[in-house]
Amino acid sequence: MATRGSTNVFADLGLRDAEKLKIKSGLVIQIIKAVRRLGLSQEEAGRRMGLPQPKVSALFRGDFANVSERKLMNCLNRLGYDIEIKIKPPPSASGM
């Protein structure tokens, strides 16, 4: 029998820092899409992002635990992307 999970697979798995992992995974997905869209090899992508090729390979394999969100955002910037962070109140927020 299948159970419907939340919108965060990392939380569903009971992992520590689940929110942080969800954010990082989203950034890594965008990096991979950008590298493919630009037709870059991992070596070329690494030069652009300021990472050694083995680190790029690790990102492509989903190994991003030791890379900060800031570094991942910097990688996207170096691949030509702008990043916009939006802050919204929670859905049930009432006037304070």
Side-chain angles (χ1 to χ4, degrees):
M1 175 194 268
T3 304
R4 184 171 296 272
S6 71
T7 59
N8 186 338
V9 67
F10 302 106
D12 294 342
L13 293 171
L15 298 178
R16 230 171 33 95
D17 298 327
E19 267 313 303
K20 191 176 275 195
L21 290 169
K22 181 180 177 183
I23 291 167
K24 285 182 175 185
S25 68
L27 292 168
V28 170
I29 288 167
Q30 293 306 312
I31 289 169
I32 292 169
K33 285 180 178 181
V35 169
R36 288 182 178 155
R37 182 183 58 80
L38 294 167
L40 302 174
S41 68
Q42 288 186 4
E43 189 172 322
E44 292 167 329
R47 274 196 298 275
R48 261 202 196 178
M49 294 187 294
L51 297 175
Q53 184 278 326
K55 192 71 141 180
V56 175
S57 179
L59 288 177
F60 273 60
R61 290 192 318 272
D63 181 7
F64 51 82
N66 294 324
V67 182
S68 71
E69 294 96 332
R70 185 170 212 47
K71 181 65 177 174
L72 294 171
M73 287 188 274
N74 183 266
C75 288
L76 279 168
N77 287 145
R78 291 174 136 210
L79 291 170
Y81 281 65
D82 289 327
I83 297 172
E84 181 178 311
I85 298 172
K86 293 183 180 184
I87 309 285
K88 300 186 297 185
S92 63
S94 59
M96 289 185 199

